[in-house]
């Protein structure tokens, strides 16, 4: 979860100064800030549980590529504004029910982080869903563009829900909700918004998975090269 | 104004319960929902529990400043002298 | 119709208000030259905030840790907000924001020339916060009392939010100055590159600043360029000493009699060249902003089209 937030927050931060209009530049940055904040909280907690003295920065900046477990969706490049919005929407529609469920997690710290993040995510979801509808049902050009983004990103959406032994264990002891249930909620929201946006789910049912297992697309390496640059070039320093 | 230009909205914010909504500035948005969201992002930086009003600037009518009326008829009663566009003159000031 | 003597009377009353520190508001009568001067100054100021996002934005994806990343992002976002407040103040004078922005993109409008210098290392984030924001604050604080109401109010908001910018910059640079030899060198290098351009931020010396007198009479400007520059040097030199960095000026010395620092001659040729467009990054900065607007064209058009469709649907339901 922390990796998802970090990588998507990083991607959105690339927009800062380049948004389609000032107001939207500010909105994207707000979402980016929320995600980086979530990543910080989650990494802090992960480091504490791990108990090897790694802090949030060591976890965020000093792992190898295959140790990042973010979904393939969030590492995809920004593309045009439509691509960014579609990526965000598919992600927010997953994060919203997930955080909602995690507020009832058996782990008090996770429940607390979820509580705070849920408020933010509600806003992110509304923002991205409204934009998907606007672009889908806007002009001919915007419809074509965002439909193309959906066609390209759709195959990465299932990666959000890939399960593994850790996920299963977390579900069994009530830390995490059932990921299948979250997927059901995700589908419901996504189908309804895409319909309002007059967009069509792609015929191609191929699912491209691997992120949760550390098997990434080529894009992540470049992202990490930038993200990690200072920590790698100037090791063991305070900033 | 081009087809892609968004209209101007005036933003009013109640900073806490018990106070009036107060004018804080303006922004651009395509519709009212977007204007409210943008107002939240721009003028409150996400403080919760705040009430926001937005109003398209063109719908605000204003009284005319008192002292002007003795000298010449007021041209109109818009909140600003919209939309009389002035060219930014060439040249450099203090920057 | 406004007669010549009426205008003289209006001008007399206008100046009287200014002299009595009564704020001018959007619908009040104002001389055309006052309006034009304000539009020019406020829009240049707004453009500076927006173009100013780019040199720092250059390091957001490479910030060294999560905290620095978030703070830098928040800071650059603030600059977008400040640009927006200022464009908003400018619109009260009848200057359409998008047209104002188009003037920036066509090269007709200017912005602070400091943002035409490149950011080459992380230490530049410190130098910009410390020096560039420091200089900006000195220019801006007096503007909170500017005679034009919407500009003054926008500046109050800007100054309030900006106070953390300079502190975060100073924190970055002092941390580096106290760090490893590599970090210290990085900090000194940033100071070397940003010192002189920061002094240039206050504009040409008073002898070469023809519009200043009128702006002071209108209380659009409260202090002269040279006064503010001197104040900046006096405040900043001890800060540099405190963190062990050397100001790159061999002529710099304290004058006990005047209680001010004396400093070397500014390279005004460089200043005017950068203003004219020959700085290291002039082309990239404007081109980046122009592209952002161009790439956003279809997005803005879609939002307008959708808003119209929705409005028509609502009208159809009501009918």
């Amino acid at each position: 979860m922390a990796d998802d937030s970090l990588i998507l927050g990083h991607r959105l931060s690339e927009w800062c100064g380049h948004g389609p209009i000032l107001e939207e530049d500010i909105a994207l940055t707000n979402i980016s800030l929320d995600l980086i904040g979530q990543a910080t909280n989650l990494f802090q907690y992960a480091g504490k549980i791990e108990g090897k003295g790694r802090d949030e920065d060591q976890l965020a900046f000093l792992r190898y590529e295959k140790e990042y477990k973010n979904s393939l969706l969030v590492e995809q490049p920004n593309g045009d504004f439509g691509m960014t919005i579609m990526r965000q929407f598919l992600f927010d529609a997953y994060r919203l029910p997930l955080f909602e469920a995690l507020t009832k997690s058996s782990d008090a710290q996770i429940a607390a982080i979820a509580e705070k993040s849920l408020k933010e995510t509600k806003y992110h979801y509304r923002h991205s869903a409204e934009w998907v509808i606007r672009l889908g049902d806007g002009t001919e050009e915007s419809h074509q563009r965002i439909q193309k983004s959906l066609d390209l990103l759709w195959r990465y959406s299932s990666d959000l829900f890939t399960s593994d032994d850790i996920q299963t264990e977390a579900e069994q002891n009530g830390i995490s909700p059932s990921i299948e249930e979250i997927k059901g909620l995700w589908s419901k929201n996504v189908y309804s918004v895409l319909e309002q946006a007059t967009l069509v789910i792609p015929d191609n049912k191929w699912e491209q998975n691997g992120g949760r297992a550390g098997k990434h697309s080529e894009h992540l390496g470049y992202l990490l090269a930038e993200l990690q640059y200072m920590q790698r070039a100037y090791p063991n320093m305070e900033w | 104004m081009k087809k892609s230009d968004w209209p101007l909205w005036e933003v009013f914010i109640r900073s806490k319960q018990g106070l009036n909504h107060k004018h804080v500035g303006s922004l651009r948005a395509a519709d009212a929902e977007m204007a409210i969201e943008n107002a939240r992002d721009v003028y409150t930086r996400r403080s919760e529990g705040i009430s926001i009003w937005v109003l398209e600037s063109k719908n605000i009518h204003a009284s005319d400043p008192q002292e002007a009326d003795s000298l010449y008829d007021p041209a109109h009663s818009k909140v600003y002298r919209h939309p009389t566009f002035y060219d930014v003159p060439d040249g450099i000031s203090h920057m | 119709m406004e007669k010549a003597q009426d205008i003289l009377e209006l001008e007399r009353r206008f100046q009287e208000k200014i002299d009595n520190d009564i704020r001018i508001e959007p619908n009040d009568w104002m001389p055309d030259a006052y309006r034009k001067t304000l539009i020019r100054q406020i829009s240049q100021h707004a453009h500076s905030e927006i173009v100013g996002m780019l040199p720092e934005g250059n390091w957001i994806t490479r910030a060294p840790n999560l905290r620095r990343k978030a703070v830098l992002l928040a800071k650059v976002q603030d600059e977008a907000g400040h640009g927006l407040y200022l464009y908003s103040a400018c619109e009260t004078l009848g200057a359409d924001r998008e047209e104002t922005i188009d003037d920036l993109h066509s090269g007709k409008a200017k912005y602070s020339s400091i943002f035409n210098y490149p950011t080459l290392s992380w230490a530049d984030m410190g130098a910009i916060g410390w020096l560039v924001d420091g200089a900006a604050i000195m220019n801006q604080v007096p503007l909170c009392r500017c005679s034009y109401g919407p500009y003054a109010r926008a500046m109050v908001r800007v100054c309030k939010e900006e106070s953390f910018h300079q502190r975060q910059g100073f924190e970055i640079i002092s941390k580096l100055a106290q760090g490893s030899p590599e970090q210290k060198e990085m900090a000194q290098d940033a100071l070397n590159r940003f010192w002189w351009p920061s002094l240039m931020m206050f504009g040409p010396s008073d002898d070469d600043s023809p519009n200043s007198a009128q702006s002071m009479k209108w209380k659009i400007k409260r202090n002269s360029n040279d006064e503010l520059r001197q104040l900046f040097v006096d405040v900043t030199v001890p800060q540099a000493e405190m963190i062990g960095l050397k100001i790159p000026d061999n002529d710099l010395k304290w004058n006990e009699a005047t209680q001010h620092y004396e400093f070397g001659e500014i390279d005004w040729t460089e200043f005017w060249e950068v203003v004219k467009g020959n700085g290291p990054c002039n082309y990239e900065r404007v081109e980046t902003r122009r592209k952002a607007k161009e790439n956003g064209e279809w997005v803005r058009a879609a939002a307008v089209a959708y808003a119209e469709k929705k409005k028509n649907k609502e009208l159809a339901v009501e009918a």
Side-chain angles (χ1 to χ4, degrees):
Chain A
M1 284 181 74
D3 285 345
D4 273 352
S5 293
L6 174 71
I7 301 300
L8 189 56
H10 184 97
R11 278 288 185 229
L12 287 179
S13 79
E14 294 170 3
W15 270 103
C16 189
H18 308 271
I21 193 162
L22 270 178
E23 285 81 354
E24 193 51 33
D25 207 299
I26 293 171
L28 289 177
T29 306
N30 259 343
I31 299 170
S32 173
L33 277 167
D34 286 343
L35 289 168
I36 290 169
Q38 291 170 10
T40 306
N41 293 333
L42 290 163
F43 279 133
Q44 271 169 357
Y45 189 45
K48 198 175 141 199
I49 293 174
E50 188 192 43
K52 289 182 188 162
R54 288 205 284 182
D55 66 12
E56 66 272 23
D57 288 323
Q58 281 164 307
L59 287 170
F61 291 84
L62 291 170
R63 282 177 296 151
Y64 296 117
E65 190 178 332
K66 67 180 173 56
E67 295 172 310
Y68 286 80
K69 301 292 165 65
N70 58 278
S71 71
L72 296 174
L73 178 73
V74 297
E75 71 198 41
Q76 297 309 306
N78 285 340
D80 66 7
F81 181 74
M83 185 76 90
T84 294
I85 282 296
M86 184 52 80
R87 183 186 64 199
Q88 191 66 36
F89 168 68
L90 295 173
F91 179 76
D92 292 339
Y94 146 79
R95 264 300 169 82
L96 186 64
L98 180 62
F99 276 135
E100 219 147 27
L102 283 174
T103 57
K104 292 172 218 109
S105 169
S106 61
D107 185 295
Q109 184 62 31
I110 287 182
I113 294 174
E115 190 83 42
K116 182 177 182 293
S117 310
L118 177 62
K119 271 190 214 152
E120 298 164 350
T121 308
K122 277 182 182 161
Y123 171 67
H124 302 170
Y125 176 73
R126 199 174 73 187
H127 177 261
S128 60
E130 278 179 4
W131 266 113
V132 165
I133 295 169
R134 250 180 226 127
L135 297 176
D137 194 17
T139 61
E140 184 75 31
E141 184 188 1
S142 70
H143 178 83
Q144 278 174 14
R145 278 178 182 257
I146 190 119
Q147 179 66 54
K148 196 177 157 204
S149 303
L150 176 62
D151 295 347
L152 286 168
L153 292 173
W154 186 251
R155 65 190 144 147
Y156 299 117
S157 54
S158 66
D159 195 35
L160 292 167
F161 307 99
T162 326
S163 194
D164 56 16
D165 292 348
I166 298 173
Q167 175 64 31
T168 313
E169 197 188 317
E171 287 180 22
Q172 276 162 1
N173 45 35
I175 296 172
S176 164
S178 144
I179 200 77
E180 278 307 310
E181 228 166 80
I182 301 297
K183 191 172 185 178
L185 295 165
W186 175 84
S187 297
K188 209 174 123 225
N189 283 339
V190 167
Y191 282 70
S192 139
V193 169
L194 292 181
E195 196 189 320
Q196 283 181 70
T198 70
L199 295 172
V200 185
I201 309 262
D203 287 335
N204 188 349
K205 296 282 179 281
W206 172 248
E207 294 178 355
Q208 186 68 52
N209 297 330
R212 301 288 188 229
K215 283 190 278 183
H216 291 280
S217 59
E218 287 181 350
H219 306 296
L220 185 67
Y222 290 98
L223 186 153
L224 294 180
E226 256 184 279
L227 178 79
Q228 299 186 341
Y229 164 67
M230 291 295 291
Q231 289 281 348
R232 298 291 186 200
Y234 302 91
N236 304 317
M237 292 180 200
E238 295 269 315
W239 302 96
Chain B
M1 194 159 155
K2 278 192 301 188
K3 196 97 185 91
S4 58
D5 284 349
W6 293 353
L8 188 67
W9 300 73
E10 300 300 320
V11 180
F12 302 80
I13 287 174
R14 188 204 296 285
S15 57
K16 74 182 194 217
Q17 291 299 111
L19 295 180
N20 287 321
H21 285 79
K22 197 174 148 196
H23 182 243
V24 292
S26 64
L27 48 74
R28 297 275 170 172
D31 53 41
E33 281 91 351
M34 196 199 275
I36 288 181
E37 278 179 38
N38 289 348
R40 189 172 118 117
D41 279 331
V42 173
Y43 287 103
T44 75
R45 299 283 209 281
R46 292 173 301 122
S47 315
E48 306 297 330
I50 268 173
S51 164
I52 298 173
W53 287 353
V54 293
L55 191 57
E56 241 192 284
S57 309
K58 68 173 186 198
N59 292 330
I60 299 185
H61 293 261
S63 63
D64 291 294
Q66 263 185 340
E67 59 175 307
D69 55 15
S70 63
L71 286 161
Y72 66 96
D73 286 337
H76 44 59
S77 57
K78 289 295 182 198
V79 62
Y80 311 140
R81 297 179 168 219
H82 276 300
T84 45
F85 301 130
Y86 287 78
D87 281 335
V88 180
D90 294 318
I92 307 105
S93 73
H94 76 292
M95 290 186 284
Chain C
M1 275 307 284
E2 300 173 32
K3 291 192 294 267
Q5 75 227 57
D6 286 346
I7 296 219
L8 280 177
E9 176 59 15
L10 284 165
E11 273 178 2
R12 192 192 60 75
R13 288 193 194 179
F14 173 81
Q15 190 59 48
E16 197 176 85
K17 268 163 92 177
I18 301 238
D19 294 341
N20 290 321
D21 278 327
I22 295 170
R23 292 276 161 82
I24 307 300
E25 293 298 340
N27 250 347
D28 294 346
W29 187 90
M30 63 186 85
D32 225 36
Y34 176 81
R35 182 189 301 273
K36 282 185 172 154
T37 302
L38 274 172
I39 290 177
R40 190 187 59 204
Q41 183 173 330
I42 301 172
S43 63
Q44 281 185 8
H45 196 161
H47 299 329
S48 301
E49 295 282 353
I50 300 307
V51 176
M53 294 169 74
L54 300 175
E56 287 173 288
N58 187 33
W59 278 87
I60 288 172
T61 56
R62 288 177 289 171
N65 60 37
L66 289 169
R67 177 169 167 259
R68 292 285 176 216
K69 197 181 193 67
V71 171
L72 184 61
L73 197 50
K75 191 201 160 197
V76 179
Q77 183 195 41
D78 270 352
E79 280 153 17
H82 297 169
L84 208 146
Y85 304 158
L86 289 161
Y87 285 126
S88 159
C90 210
E91 299 220 55
T92 67
L93 293 157
D96 176 77
R97 180 173 106 189
E98 294 308 311
E99 289 189 17
T100 309
I101 289 174
D102 289 339
D103 283 343
L104 167 71
H105 297 171
S106 72
K108 193 175 159 203
K110 303 291 178 196
Y111 53 89
S112 182
S113 58
I114 189 89
F115 302 119
N116 292 315
Y117 291 87
T119 51
L120 304 177
S121 77
W122 171 252
D124 290 9
M125 300 305 101
I128 288 182
W130 174 37
L131 302 173
V132 176
D133 292 325
I137 288 167
M138 273 181 187
N139 271 325
Q140 287 171 356
V141 168
L143 289 174
C144 297
R145 294 182 297 126
C146 161
S147 62
Y148 186 58
Y151 191 22
R153 289 192 290 274
M155 291 319 300
V156 169
R157 213 166 232 284
V158 169
C159 288
K160 217 191 267 174
E161 297 185 1
E162 198 126 301
S163 63
F164 104 85
H165 292 184
Q166 197 192 7
R167 265 180 273 144
Q168 69 93 31
F170 191 67
E171 192 188 275
I172 289 174
I173 203 113
S174 41
K175 190 110 192 175
L176 295 175
Q178 290 149 21
S180 69
E182 295 100 312
Q183 286 174 311
K184 193 163 180 173
E185 196 196 317
M186 199 191 280
Q188 182 63 53
D189 174 62
L191 173 59
N192 292 350
R193 283 180 290 109
F194 277 95
W195 175 253
W196 290 103
S198 300
L199 294 191
M200 294 177 198
M201 280 180 73
F202 296 94
S205 81
D206 295 347
D207 306 332
D208 293 318
S209 190
N211 299 327
S212 282
Q214 183 61 66
S215 283
M216 305 254 281
K217 193 175 164 220
W218 279 334
K219 295 191 182 167
I220 293 174
K221 210 175 153 124
R222 294 276 184 160
N223 308 81
S224 83
N225 296 351
D226 287 333
E227 267 169 40
L228 291 171
R229 188 168 14 243
Q230 184 65 55
L231 182 63
F232 175 75
V233 172
D234 290 346
V235 168
T236 312
V237 172
Q239 291 170 351
E241 279 167 6
M242 203 172 79
I243 57 175
L245 295 180
K246 189 184 174 300
I247 302 276
D249 178 358
N250 291 328
D251 298 324
L252 187 76
K253 59 171 186 284
W254 176 250
N255 183 324
E256 196 54 46
T258 60
Q259 291 289 300
H260 289 297
Y261 282 96
E262 289 171 10
F263 52 96
E265 184 64 28
I266 290 169
D267 183 351
W268 292 113
T269 314
E270 177 182 321
F271 173 76
W272 290 113
E273 284 302 320
V274 177
V275 168
K276 261 194 285 177
N278 294 326
C281 300
N282 293 56
Y283 174 75
E284 286 88 340
R285 299 290 187 242
V286 174
E287 189 57 14
T288 301
R289 290 305 309 162
R290 202 189 57 71
K291 274 214 184 98
K293 183 164 180 182
E294 191 181 287
N295 293 339
E297 173 76 21
W298 70 274
V299 176
R300 297 190 304 275
V304 171
Y306 177 75
E308 270 169 24
K309 277 189 203 175
K310 204 171 61 171
K311 205 191 273 170
N312 290 339
K313 261 185 225 163
E314 279 162 14
L315 287 175
V317 170
E318 278 170 31

